Coordinates of all heavy atoms in Angstrom, one line a residue:
L920 N -28.9 -11.4 -90.1 CA -28.9 -9.9 -89.6 C -29.2 -9.1 -90.8 O -28.7 -9.3 -91.9 CB -27.5 -9.6 -89.1 CG -27.3 -8.1 -88.8 CD1 -28.1 -7.7 -87.5 CD2 -25.8 -7.9 -88.4
C921 N -30.3 -8.2 -90.6 CA -30.6 -7.2 -91.7 C -30.6 -5.8 -91.1 O -31.0 -5.6 -89.9 CB -32.1 -7.5 -92.1 SG -32.3 -9.1 -93.0
L922 N -30.2 -4.9 -91.9 CA -30.2 -3.4 -91.6 C -31.3 -2.8 -92.5 O -31.3 -3.2 -93.7 CB -28.8 -2.8 -92.0 CG -27.6 -3.3 -91.2 CD1 -26.4 -2.5 -91.6 CD2 -27.8 -3.2 -89.8
Y923 N -32.0 -1.9 -91.9 CA -33.1 -1.3 -92.7 C -33.0 0.2 -92.7 O -32.4 0.8 -91.8 CB -34.4 -1.6 -92.0 CG -34.9 -3.0 -92.2 CD1 -34.4 -4.0 -91.2 CD2 -35.7 -3.4 -93.2 CE1 -34.8 -5.3 -91.5 CE2 -36.1 -4.7 -93.4 CZ -35.7 -5.7 -92.6 OH -36.0 -6.9 -92.7
D924 N -33.5 0.8 -93.8 CA -33.6 2.2 -93.9 C -35.2 2.4 -94.0 O -35.8 2.1 -95.1 CB -33.0 2.8 -95.2 CG -33.1 4.3 -95.3 OD1 -33.7 5.0 -94.4 OD2 -32.7 4.9 -96.4
G925 N -35.9 2.7 -92.9 CA -37.3 2.7 -92.8 C -37.8 1.2 -93.0 O -37.4 0.4 -92.3
D926 N -38.5 1.0 -94.0 CA -39.1 -0.3 -94.3 C -38.3 -1.0 -95.3 O -38.6 -2.2 -95.7 CB -40.5 -0.2 -94.8 CG -41.5 0.3 -93.7 OD1 -41.2 0.1 -92.5 OD2 -42.7 0.8 -94.1
T927 N -37.2 -0.5 -95.9 CA -36.4 -1.0 -96.9 C -35.2 -1.8 -96.3 O -34.3 -1.1 -95.6 CB -36.0 0.1 -97.8 OG1 -37.1 0.7 -98.4 CG2 -35.1 -0.6 -99.0
G928 N -35.0 -3.0 -96.6 CA -33.9 -3.7 -96.2 C -32.7 -3.3 -97.1 O -32.8 -3.2 -98.3
I929 N -31.5 -3.0 -96.5 CA -30.5 -2.3 -97.2 C -29.2 -3.1 -97.1 O -28.3 -2.9 -98.0 CB -30.2 -0.9 -96.8 CG1 -29.8 -0.8 -95.3 CG2 -31.4 0.0 -97.2 CD1 -29.4 0.6 -94.9
A930 N -29.1 -3.9 -96.2 CA -27.8 -4.8 -95.9 C -28.2 -6.0 -95.1 O -29.1 -5.9 -94.3 CB -26.7 -4.0 -95.3
C931 N -27.5 -7.2 -95.4 CA -27.8 -8.3 -94.7 C -26.6 -9.3 -94.8 O -25.7 -9.2 -95.5 CB -29.0 -9.1 -95.3 SG -28.8 -9.7 -96.9
A932 N -26.7 -10.2 -93.8 CA -25.6 -11.3 -93.8 C -26.2 -12.3 -92.8 O -27.1 -12.1 -92.0 CB -24.3 -10.8 -93.2
R933 N -25.6 -13.6 -92.8 CA -26.0 -14.6 -91.9 C -24.7 -15.2 -91.4 O -23.7 -15.3 -92.0 CB -27.0 -15.5 -92.6 CG -26.3 -16.5 -93.5 CD -27.2 -17.5 -94.1 NE -26.6 -18.4 -95.1 CZ -27.1 -19.3 -95.8 NH1 -28.4 -19.4 -95.7 NH2 -26.4 -20.0 -96.6
A934 N -24.9 -15.9 -90.2 CA -23.9 -16.6 -89.6 C -24.5 -17.8 -88.8 O -25.6 -17.6 -88.2 CB -22.9 -15.9 -88.7
Y935 N -23.9 -18.9 -88.8 CA -24.4 -20.1 -88.1 C -23.3 -21.0 -87.5 O -22.2 -21.0 -88.1 CB -25.5 -20.9 -89.0 CG -25.0 -21.5 -90.2 CD1 -24.4 -22.7 -90.3 CD2 -25.0 -20.6 -91.4 CE1 -23.9 -23.1 -91.5 CE2 -24.5 -21.1 -92.6 CZ -23.9 -22.4 -92.6 OH -23.4 -22.9 -93.9
S936 N -23.6 -21.7 -86.5 CA -22.5 -22.5 -85.9 C -22.3 -23.8 -86.7 O -23.3 -24.5 -87.3 CB -23.0 -23.0 -84.5 OG -22.1 -23.8 -83.9
A937 N -21.0 -24.1 -86.8 CA -20.7 -25.3 -87.5 C -20.1 -26.3 -86.4 O -19.5 -27.3 -86.8 CB -19.5 -25.1 -88.6
G938 N -20.2 -26.0 -85.2 CA -19.8 -26.8 -84.1 C -18.4 -26.5 -83.8 O -17.6 -25.9 -84.5
A939 N -18.0 -27.0 -82.6 CA -16.6 -27.0 -82.1 C -16.0 -25.5 -82.1 O -14.8 -25.2 -82.5 CB -15.6 -27.8 -82.9
G940 N -16.8 -24.5 -81.8 CA -16.4 -23.0 -81.8 C -16.2 -22.4 -83.1 O -15.7 -21.3 -83.2
K941 N -16.6 -23.1 -84.2 CA -16.4 -22.5 -85.5 C -17.8 -22.0 -86.2 O -18.8 -22.7 -85.9 CB -15.9 -23.7 -86.4 CG -15.3 -23.3 -87.8 CD -14.0 -22.7 -87.6 CE -13.3 -22.8 -88.9 NZ -11.9 -22.3 -88.7
Y942 N -17.8 -20.9 -86.7 CA -19.0 -20.3 -87.3 C -18.7 -20.1 -88.9 O -17.7 -19.9 -89.3 CB -19.3 -18.9 -86.7 CG -20.0 -19.1 -85.4 CD1 -19.4 -19.5 -84.2 CD2 -21.5 -19.1 -85.3 CE1 -20.0 -19.7 -83.0 CE2 -22.1 -19.3 -84.1 CZ -21.4 -19.6 -83.0 OH -22.0 -19.9 -81.8
I943 N -19.9 -20.2 -89.5 CA -19.9 -19.9 -91.0 C -20.6 -18.6 -91.3 O -21.7 -18.5 -90.8 CB -20.7 -21.1 -91.7 CG1 -20.2 -22.5 -91.3 CG2 -20.6 -20.9 -93.3 CD1 -18.8 -22.8 -91.8
L944 N -20.0 -17.8 -92.1 CA -20.6 -16.5 -92.5 C -20.9 -16.6 -93.9 O -20.1 -17.2 -94.7 CB -19.6 -15.4 -92.2 CG -19.8 -13.9 -92.5 CD1 -20.9 -13.5 -91.6 CD2 -18.6 -13.1 -92.5
G945 N -22.0 -15.9 -94.3 CA -22.3 -15.9 -95.6 C -23.5 -15.0 -96.0 O -24.1 -14.3 -95.2
R946 N -23.8 -14.9 -97.2 CA -24.8 -14.2 -97.8 C -24.7 -12.6 -97.5 O -25.7 -12.0 -97.2 CB -26.2 -14.7 -97.5 CG -26.4 -16.2 -97.8 CD -26.5 -16.3 -99.3 NE -26.8 -17.6 -99.7 CZ -26.3 -18.5 -100.6 NH1 -25.3 -17.9 -101.3 NH2 -26.7 -19.6 -100.8
V947 N -23.5 -12.1 -97.5 CA -23.3 -10.7 -97.1 C -23.7 -9.9 -98.4 O -23.2 -10.2 -99.5 CB -21.9 -10.4 -96.8 CG1 -21.7 -8.9 -96.6 CG2 -21.4 -11.2 -95.6
A948 N -24.6 -9.0 -98.4 CA -25.1 -8.2 -99.4 C -25.5 -6.9 -99.0 O -26.1 -6.6 -97.9 CB -26.3 -8.9 -100.0
V949 N -25.3 -5.9 -99.9 CA -25.7 -4.5 -99.6 C -26.4 -4.0 -101.0 O -25.8 -4.1 -102.0 CB -24.5 -3.6 -99.3 CG1 -24.9 -2.1 -99.1 CG2 -23.8 -4.1 -98.0
R950 N -27.6 -3.4 -100.9 CA -28.2 -2.9 -102.0 C -27.3 -1.8 -102.6 O -26.7 -1.0 -101.9 CB -29.6 -2.2 -101.6 CG -30.6 -3.2 -101.4 CD -32.0 -2.5 -101.1 NE -32.9 -3.4 -100.8 CZ -34.0 -3.8 -101.7 NH1 -33.9 -3.3 -103.0 NH2 -34.9 -4.6 -101.4
K951 N -27.3 -1.8 -103.9 CA -26.4 -0.9 -104.7 C -26.5 0.6 -104.3 O -25.4 1.2 -104.0 CB -26.7 -1.0 -106.1 CG -26.1 -2.2 -106.9 CD -26.2 -2.2 -108.3 CE -25.8 -3.6 -108.8 NZ -25.8 -3.6 -110.3
P952 N -27.7 1.3 -104.0 CA -27.7 2.6 -103.6 C -27.1 2.9 -102.3 O -26.7 4.0 -102.0 CB -29.2 2.9 -103.6 CG -29.9 1.9 -104.4 CD -29.1 0.6 -104.3
Y953 N -26.8 1.9 -101.6 CA -26.3 2.0 -100.1 C -24.8 1.5 -100.0 O -24.2 1.7 -99.0 CB -27.1 1.2 -99.2 CG -28.5 1.8 -99.0 CD1 -29.6 1.4 -99.9 CD2 -28.8 2.8 -98.1 CE1 -30.8 1.9 -99.8 CE2 -30.0 3.3 -98.0 CZ -31.1 3.0 -98.9 OH -32.3 3.4 -98.8
R954 N -24.2 1.2 -101.2 CA -22.8 0.7 -101.1 C -21.9 1.9 -101.0 O -22.3 3.0 -101.2 CB -22.5 -0.1 -102.4 CG -23.2 -1.4 -102.5 CD -22.9 -2.2 -103.7 NE -23.8 -3.3 -103.7 CZ -23.9 -4.1 -104.8 NH1 -23.3 -3.9 -105.9 NH2 -24.7 -5.2 -104.7
G955 N -20.7 1.6 -100.4 CA -19.7 2.7 -100.1 C -19.9 3.4 -98.7 O -19.3 4.2 -98.4
R956 N -20.9 2.8 -98.0 CA -21.2 3.4 -96.6 C -20.6 2.5 -95.5 O -21.1 2.7 -94.3 CB -22.7 3.7 -96.5 CG -23.2 4.6 -97.5 CD -24.7 4.9 -97.3 NE -25.3 5.5 -98.4 CZ -26.6 6.0 -98.6 NH1 -27.3 5.6 -97.5 NH2 -27.0 6.5 -99.6
H957 N -19.9 1.5 -95.8 CA -19.4 0.5 -94.9 C -20.5 -0.4 -94.2 O -20.2 -0.9 -93.1 CB -18.5 1.3 -93.8 CG -17.4 2.1 -94.5 ND1 -16.3 1.6 -95.1 CD2 -17.3 3.4 -94.6 CE1 -15.6 2.5 -95.6 NE2 -16.2 3.7 -95.4
L958 N -21.5 -0.5 -94.8 CA -22.7 -1.4 -94.2 C -22.2 -2.8 -94.2 O -22.6 -3.5 -93.3 CB -23.9 -1.1 -94.9 CG -24.5 0.4 -94.9 CD1 -25.7 0.5 -95.7 CD2 -24.7 0.8 -93.4
G959 N -21.6 -3.2 -95.2 CA -21.1 -4.6 -95.2 C -20.2 -5.0 -94.1 O -20.3 -5.9 -93.6
Q960 N -19.2 -4.1 -93.9 CA -18.3 -4.2 -92.8 C -19.2 -4.2 -91.4 O -18.8 -5.0 -90.6 CB -17.4 -3.0 -92.7 CG -16.4 -3.0 -93.7 CD -15.4 -1.8 -93.7 OE1 -15.4 -0.9 -92.7 NE2 -14.6 -1.6 -94.7
K961 N -20.2 -3.4 -91.4 CA -20.9 -3.4 -90.1 C -21.7 -4.6 -89.8 O -21.7 -5.2 -88.7 CB -22.1 -2.2 -90.1 CG -21.4 -0.9 -90.0 CD -22.4 0.2 -90.0 CE -21.8 1.5 -89.7 NZ -22.8 2.6 -89.4
V962 N -22.3 -5.3 -90.8 CA -23.0 -6.5 -90.6 C -22.0 -7.7 -90.3 O -22.3 -8.5 -89.4 CB -24.0 -6.9 -91.7 CG1 -25.2 -5.9 -91.8 CG2 -23.2 -7.1 -93.1
V963 N -20.9 -7.7 -91.0 CA -19.9 -8.8 -90.7 C -19.3 -8.6 -89.3 O -19.3 -9.5 -88.6 CB -18.7 -8.6 -91.8 CG1 -17.5 -9.5 -91.3 CG2 -19.2 -9.1 -93.1
R964 N -19.0 -7.3 -88.9 CA -18.5 -7.2 -87.6 C -19.5 -7.5 -86.4 O -19.1 -8.1 -85.4 CB -18.0 -5.8 -87.4 CG -16.6 -5.5 -88.1 CD -16.1 -4.2 -87.9 NE -14.8 -4.0 -88.6 CZ -14.5 -3.0 -89.4 NH1 -15.3 -2.0 -89.4 NH2 -13.3 -3.0 -89.9
A965 N -20.7 -7.1 -86.7 CA -21.8 -7.5 -85.8 C -22.0 -9.0 -85.6 O -22.1 -9.5 -84.4 CB -23.2 -6.8 -86.2
L966 N -21.8 -9.7 -86.7 CA -22.0 -11.1 -86.6 C -20.8 -11.8 -86.0 O -20.9 -12.8 -85.3 CB -22.3 -11.8 -88.0 CG -23.7 -11.5 -88.5 CD1 -23.9 -12.0 -89.9 CD2 -24.7 -12.1 -87.6
E967 N -19.6 -11.3 -86.2 CA -18.5 -11.7 -85.6 C -18.5 -11.6 -84.0 O -18.2 -12.5 -83.3 CB -17.1 -11.0 -86.1 CG -16.7 -11.3 -87.5 CD -15.6 -10.4 -88.0 OE1 -15.3 -9.4 -87.3 OE2 -15.1 -10.7 -89.1
E968 N -19.0 -10.5 -83.7 CA -19.2 -10.1 -82.2 C -20.1 -11.1 -81.6 O -19.9 -11.7 -80.5 CB -19.6 -8.7 -82.0 CG -19.7 -8.3 -80.5 CD -18.4 -8.6 -79.6 OE1 -17.3 -8.5 -80.2 OE2 -18.7 -9.0 -78.4
K969 N -21.3 -11.5 -82.3 CA -22.2 -12.4 -81.7 C -21.7 -13.7 -81.6 O -21.9 -14.4 -80.7 CB -23.5 -12.4 -82.6 CG -24.6 -13.3 -82.1 CD -25.2 -12.6 -80.8 CE -26.3 -13.5 -80.3 NZ -26.8 -12.9 -79.1
A970 N -20.8 -14.1 -82.7 CA -20.2 -15.5 -82.6 C -19.3 -15.5 -81.4 O -19.2 -16.6 -80.7 CB -19.4 -15.7 -83.9
R971 N -18.5 -14.4 -81.1 CA -17.6 -14.4 -80.0 C -18.4 -14.5 -78.7 O -18.0 -15.3 -77.8 CB -16.9 -13.1 -79.9 CG -15.6 -13.0 -80.6 CD -14.8 -11.8 -80.3 NE -14.1 -11.4 -81.4 CZ -14.5 -10.5 -82.5 NH1 -15.6 -9.9 -82.4 NH2 -13.7 -10.3 -83.5
Q972 N -19.6 -13.8 -78.6 CA -20.4 -13.9 -77.3 C -20.8 -15.3 -77.1 O -21.1 -15.8 -76.0 CB -21.6 -12.9 -77.5 CG -21.2 -11.5 -77.5 CD -22.4 -10.5 -77.7 OE1 -23.4 -11.0 -78.0 NE2 -22.2 -9.3 -77.8
L973 N -21.1 -16.0 -78.2 CA -21.6 -17.4 -78.2 C -20.4 -18.5 -78.0 O -20.7 -19.7 -78.0 CB -22.5 -17.7 -79.4 CG -23.7 -16.9 -79.4 CD1 -24.5 -17.2 -80.8 CD2 -24.7 -17.2 -78.4
G974 N -19.2 -18.0 -77.9 CA -18.2 -18.9 -77.6 C -17.3 -19.2 -78.9 O -16.5 -20.1 -78.9
G975 N -17.6 -18.6 -80.0 CA -16.9 -18.8 -81.2 C -15.5 -18.5 -81.1 O -15.1 -17.5 -80.5
K976 N -14.6 -19.4 -81.7 CA -13.2 -19.2 -81.8 C -12.7 -18.8 -83.1 O -11.7 -18.4 -83.4 CB -12.5 -20.5 -81.3 CG -12.9 -20.9 -79.9 CD -12.5 -20.0 -78.9 CE -13.0 -20.4 -77.5 NZ -13.1 -19.3 -76.6
G977 N -13.5 -19.2 -84.2 CA -13.1 -18.9 -85.6 C -14.4 -18.7 -86.5 O -15.4 -19.2 -86.2
I978 N -14.1 -18.1 -87.6 CA -15.2 -17.9 -88.5 C -14.8 -18.2 -89.9 O -13.6 -17.9 -90.3 CB -15.9 -16.5 -88.4 CG1 -17.2 -16.4 -88.9 CG2 -15.0 -15.4 -88.8 CD1 -18.1 -15.3 -88.5
Y979 N -15.5 -18.8 -90.7 CA -15.1 -19.4 -92.1 C -16.1 -18.8 -93.1 O -17.3 -18.6 -92.8 CB -15.2 -20.9 -92.1 CG -15.1 -21.5 -93.5 CD1 -13.8 -21.7 -94.0 CD2 -16.2 -21.8 -94.2 CE1 -13.7 -22.2 -95.4 CE2 -16.2 -22.3 -95.5 CZ -15.0 -22.7 -96.0 OH -14.9 -23.1 -97.3
L980 N -15.7 -18.5 -94.4 CA -16.6 -18.2 -95.3 C -16.0 -18.6 -96.7 O -14.7 -18.9 -96.8 CB -16.9 -16.6 -95.4 CG -15.7 -15.8 -95.5 CD1 -15.3 -15.4 -97.0 CD2 -15.9 -14.4 -94.6
G981 N -16.9 -18.6 -97.8 CA -16.4 -18.8 -99.1 C -16.7 -17.6 -99.8 O -17.8 -17.3 -100.2
A982 N -15.7 -16.7 -100.1 CA -15.9 -15.4 -100.6 C -15.8 -15.5 -102.2 O -15.0 -16.2 -102.8 CB -14.8 -14.5 -100.2
Q983 N -16.7 -14.8 -102.9 CA -16.6 -14.6 -104.3 C -15.1 -14.0 -104.5 O -14.8 -13.0 -103.7 CB -17.7 -13.8 -104.9 CG -19.0 -14.5 -104.8 CD -20.2 -13.7 -105.4 OE1 -19.8 -12.6 -106.0 NE2 -21.4 -14.1 -105.3
T984 N -14.4 -14.5 -105.5 CA -13.1 -13.9 -105.6 C -12.9 -12.4 -105.7 O -12.0 -11.8 -105.3 CB -12.3 -14.6 -106.8 OG1 -13.1 -14.5 -108.0 CG2 -12.1 -16.1 -106.4
H985 N -13.9 -11.8 -106.3 CA -14.0 -10.4 -106.5 C -14.1 -9.6 -105.2 O -13.7 -8.4 -105.1 CB -14.9 -9.9 -107.5 CG -16.4 -9.9 -107.0 ND1 -17.0 -8.9 -106.3 CD2 -17.3 -10.9 -107.2 CE1 -18.2 -9.4 -106.0 NE2 -18.4 -10.5 -106.6
A986 N -14.5 -10.4 -104.2 CA -14.7 -9.7 -102.8 C -13.7 -10.1 -101.9 O -13.7 -9.7 -100.7 CB -16.1 -10.2 -102.2
Q987 N -12.6 -10.8 -102.4 CA -11.5 -11.3 -101.4 C -10.9 -10.1 -100.7 O -10.7 -10.2 -99.5 CB -10.5 -12.1 -102.3 CG -9.4 -12.6 -101.3 CD -8.4 -13.5 -102.1 OE1 -8.7 -13.8 -103.3 NE2 -7.2 -13.7 -101.6
T988 N -10.6 -9.0 -101.3 CA -10.0 -7.9 -100.7 C -10.9 -7.2 -99.6 O -10.3 -6.9 -98.5 CB -9.6 -6.7 -101.7 OG1 -8.8 -7.4 -102.7 CG2 -8.9 -5.6 -101.1
F989 N -12.1 -7.2 -99.8 CA -13.1 -6.8 -98.8 C -12.9 -7.5 -97.5 O -12.7 -7.0 -96.4 CB -14.6 -6.9 -99.3 CG -15.6 -6.7 -98.2 CD1 -15.9 -5.5 -97.8 CD2 -16.2 -7.8 -97.7 CE1 -16.9 -5.3 -96.8 CE2 -17.2 -7.7 -96.7 CZ -17.6 -6.4 -96.2
Y990 N -12.9 -8.9 -97.6 CA -12.7 -9.7 -96.4 C -11.3 -9.6 -95.8 O -11.1 -9.7 -94.6 CB -13.1 -11.2 -96.8 CG -14.6 -11.3 -97.0 CD1 -15.0 -11.5 -98.3 CD2 -15.5 -11.2 -96.0 CE1 -16.5 -11.6 -98.5 CE2 -16.8 -11.3 -96.2 CZ -17.2 -11.5 -97.5 OH -18.7 -11.6 -97.7
E991 N -10.2 -9.5 -96.7 CA -8.9 -9.4 -96.2 C -8.8 -8.1 -95.3 O -8.1 -8.1 -94.3 CB -7.9 -9.3 -97.3 CG -7.7 -10.7 -98.0 CD -6.8 -10.7 -99.2 OE1 -6.7 -9.6 -99.9 OE2 -6.3 -11.8 -99.5
Q992 N -9.5 -7.0 -95.8 CA -9.5 -5.8 -94.9 C -10.1 -6.0 -93.5 O -9.9 -5.2 -92.7 CB -10.1 -4.6 -95.7 CG -9.3 -4.2 -97.0 CD -10.1 -3.3 -97.8 OE1 -11.3 -3.2 -97.8 NE2 -9.4 -2.6 -98.8
L993 N -10.9 -7.1 -93.4 CA -11.6 -7.3 -92.2 C -10.8 -8.4 -91.4 O -11.3 -8.8 -90.4 CB -13.0 -7.8 -92.4 CG -13.9 -6.7 -92.8 CD1 -15.3 -7.2 -93.4 CD2 -14.2 -5.7 -91.8
G994 N -9.7 -8.8 -91.9 CA -8.9 -9.8 -91.1 C -8.9 -11.2 -91.5 O -8.4 -12.0 -90.9
Y995 N -9.7 -11.4 -92.6 CA -9.7 -12.8 -93.1 C -8.5 -13.2 -94.0 O -7.9 -12.2 -94.7 CB -11.1 -13.0 -93.9 CG -12.3 -13.0 -93.0 CD1 -12.9 -11.8 -92.6 CD2 -12.8 -14.2 -92.5 CE1 -13.9 -11.6 -91.8 CE2 -14.0 -14.1 -91.7 CZ -14.5 -12.8 -91.3 OH -15.6 -12.8 -90.5
H996 N -8.2 -14.4 -94.0 CA -7.1 -14.8 -94.9 C -7.5 -16.1 -95.7 O -8.4 -17.0 -95.1 CB -5.8 -15.0 -94.2 CG -5.9 -16.1 -93.2 ND1 -6.3 -15.8 -91.9 CD2 -5.5 -17.4 -93.2 CE1 -6.3 -17.0 -91.3 NE2 -5.8 -17.9 -92.0
P997 N -7.0 -16.3 -96.8 CA -7.4 -17.5 -97.7 C -6.9 -18.7 -97.0 O -5.9 -18.7 -96.2 CB -6.7 -17.3 -99.0 CG -6.5 -15.8 -99.1 CD -6.3 -15.3 -97.8
C998 N -7.7 -19.8 -97.1 CA -7.3 -21.1 -96.3 C -7.6 -22.3 -97.3 O -7.7 -23.4 -96.8 CB -8.1 -21.2 -95.0 SG -9.9 -21.2 -95.3
G999 N -7.5 -22.1 -98.5 CA -7.7 -23.2 -99.4 C -7.7 -22.7 -100.9 O -7.4 -21.6 -101.2
E1000 N -8.0 -23.7 -101.8 CA -8.0 -23.4 -103.3 C -9.4 -22.7 -103.8 O -10.5 -23.0 -103.2 CB -7.7 -24.7 -104.0 CG -6.3 -25.3 -103.7 CD -5.2 -24.5 -104.0 OE1 -5.1 -23.8 -105.1 OE2 -4.3 -24.3 -103.1
I1001 N -9.3 -22.1 -104.9 CA -10.4 -21.6 -105.4 C -11.5 -22.7 -105.9 O -11.0 -23.8 -106.4 CB -10.1 -20.7 -106.7 CG1 -9.4 -19.4 -106.2 CG2 -11.4 -20.4 -107.6 CD1 -8.9 -18.6 -107.4
F1002 N -12.7 -22.5 -105.7 CA -13.7 -23.5 -106.0 C -14.8 -22.7 -106.7 O -14.9 -21.5 -106.6 CB -14.2 -24.3 -104.9 CG -15.0 -23.4 -103.9 CD1 -16.3 -23.4 -103.8 CD2 -14.2 -22.8 -102.8 CE1 -17.0 -22.5 -102.9 CE2 -14.9 -22.0 -101.9 CZ -16.3 -21.9 -101.9
Y1003 N -15.7 -23.4 -107.5 CA -16.8 -22.8 -108.1 C -18.2 -23.1 -107.5 O -18.3 -24.3 -107.1 CB -16.8 -23.2 -109.6 CG -15.8 -22.5 -110.3 CD1 -14.4 -23.0 -110.3 CD2 -16.0 -21.4 -111.1 CE1 -13.4 -22.3 -110.9 CE2 -15.0 -20.7 -111.8 CZ -13.7 -21.2 -111.7 OH -12.7 -20.5 -112.4
D1004 N -18.9 -22.2 -107.3 CA -20.3 -22.3 -106.8 C -21.2 -21.6 -107.7 O -21.0 -20.3 -107.9 CB -20.3 -21.8 -105.3 CG -21.6 -22.0 -104.6 OD1 -22.5 -22.8 -105.3 OD2 -21.9 -21.5 -103.6
E1005 N -22.1 -22.3 -108.3 CA -23.1 -21.6 -109.3 C -22.2 -21.0 -110.4 O -22.6 -19.9 -110.8 CB -24.0 -20.7 -108.6 CG -25.0 -21.3 -107.6 CD -26.0 -22.3 -108.3 OE1 -26.4 -21.9 -109.5 OE2 -26.4 -23.4 -107.7
H1006 N -21.2 -21.6 -110.8 CA -20.3 -21.1 -112.0 C -19.6 -19.9 -111.6 O -19.1 -19.1 -112.5 CB -21.1 -21.0 -113.2 CG -21.9 -22.2 -113.6 ND1 -21.4 -23.3 -114.1 CD2 -23.3 -22.4 -113.5 CE1 -22.3 -24.2 -114.4 NE2 -23.5 -23.7 -114.0
C1007 N -19.5 -19.5 -110.4 CA -18.9 -18.4 -109.9 C -17.6 -18.7 -109.0 O -17.8 -19.6 -108.0 CB -19.8 -17.5 -109.0 SG -19.1 -15.9 -108.5
P1008 N -16.4 -18.1 -109.3 CA -15.2 -18.6 -108.5 C -15.3 -17.9 -107.0 O -15.6 -16.7 -106.9 CB -14.0 -18.0 -109.3 CG -14.6 -16.9 -110.0 CD -16.0 -17.3 -110.3
H1009 N -15.0 -18.9 -106.0 CA -14.9 -18.6 -104.7 C -13.5 -18.9 -104.1 O -12.9 -19.8 -104.5 CB -16.1 -19.3 -103.9 CG -17.5 -18.7 -104.1 ND1 -18.1 -18.8 -105.5 CD2 -18.3 -18.1 -103.4 CE1 -19.3 -18.4 -105.3 NE2 -19.4 -17.9 -104.1
I1010 N -13.2 -18.2 -103.0 CA -12.0 -18.6 -102.2 C -12.4 -18.9 -100.7 O -13.0 -18.0 -100.2 CB -10.9 -17.6 -102.4 CG1 -9.6 -18.0 -101.7 CG2 -11.4 -16.2 -101.9 CD1 -8.8 -18.8 -102.5
P1011 N -12.0 -20.1 -100.3 CA -12.3 -20.2 -98.8 C -11.4 -19.3 -98.0 O -10.3 -19.1 -98.3 CB -11.9 -21.7 -98.6 CG -11.1 -22.1 -99.7 CD -11.4 -21.1 -100.8
M1012 N -12.0 -18.7 -97.0 CA -11.3 -17.7 -96.1 C -11.7 -18.0 -94.6 O -12.8 -18.6 -94.4 CB -11.6 -16.3 -96.4 CG -11.2 -15.9 -97.9 SD -11.5 -14.2 -98.3 CE -10.0 -13.5 -97.7
E1013 N -10.7 -17.6 -93.8 CA -11.1 -17.8 -92.3 C -10.6 -16.7 -91.4 O -9.6 -15.9 -91.9 CB -10.7 -19.2 -91.7 CG -9.1 -19.3 -91.9 CD -8.7 -20.8 -91.5 OE1 -9.5 -21.5 -91.1 OE2 -7.5 -21.1 -91.5
K1014 N -10.9 -16.6 -90.2 CA -10.5 -15.6 -89.4 C -10.6 -16.1 -87.9 O -11.7 -16.6 -87.6 CB -11.4 -14.3 -89.5 CG -10.9 -13.2 -88.5 CD -11.7 -12.0 -88.7 CE -11.5 -10.8 -87.8 NZ -12.2 -9.6 -88.1
S1015 N -9.6 -16.0 -87.1 CA -9.7 -16.3 -85.7 C -10.5 -15.2 -84.9 O -10.3 -14.1 -85.2 CB -8.3 -16.5 -85.1 OG -7.7 -17.6 -85.6
L1016 N -11.3 -15.7 -84.0 CA -12.0 -14.7 -83.2 C -11.3 -14.6 -81.8 O -11.4 -14.1 -81.0 CB -13.5 -15.1 -83.0 CG -14.4 -15.2 -84.3 CD1 -15.7 -15.8 -84.1 CD2 -14.5 -13.8 -85.0

């Protein structure tokens, strides 16, 4: 999912099915000049709604630890131990749909 301001991509995220009603959310990003406008929340909520429409029961993600609070504010909770991806600490999180 991508949001645009004219021809400029300003926010994006992706979600895909992991089977059995579970979806994986990732690659949430907002260009720096557009941060603080709740665009990250908008793309996450839109993908959650699409997953629900497709029969999704839960959604999982690996959040960079500095973004954990962002996801907690959207109803996600940690579901495992910190792991490293590309030398960056991440925390597994999930949310029931």
Side-chain angles (χ1 to χ4, degrees):
L920 172 67
C921 294
L922 300 181
Y923 288 87
D924 181 5
D926 292 336
T927 303
I929 60 172
C931 64
R933 71 177 181 186
Y935 56 92
S936 174
K941 196 80 154 181
Y942 279 77
I943 307 293
L944 176 70
R946 305 293 189 221
V947 178
V949 178
R950 284 185 181 257
K951 284 184 183 181
Y953 293 89
R954 292 181 185 165
R956 301 180 191 185
H957 307 287
L958 299 174
Q960 291 177 6
K961 286 183 181 189
V962 294
V963 169
R964 288 184 177 136
L966 289 173
E967 289 173 350
E968 181 56 32
K969 184 63 174 180
R971 272 189 212 95
Q972 291 171 2
L973 294 171
K976 303 297 180 203
I978 197 157
Y979 167 89
L980 58 91
Q983 292 182 9
T984 54
H985 71 82
Q987 181 175 345
T988 302
F989 167 78
Y990 291 106
E991 287 174 337
Q992 291 171 346
L993 289 168
Y995 290 81
H996 62 275
C998 61
E1000 300 297 319
I1001 291 175
F1002 65 95
Y1003 284 80
D1004 186 7
E1005 296 292 326
H1006 308 289
C1007 180
H1009 288 67
I1010 183 86
M1012 302 184 81
E1013 65 184 357
K1014 178 180 180 177
S1015 294
L1016 298 175

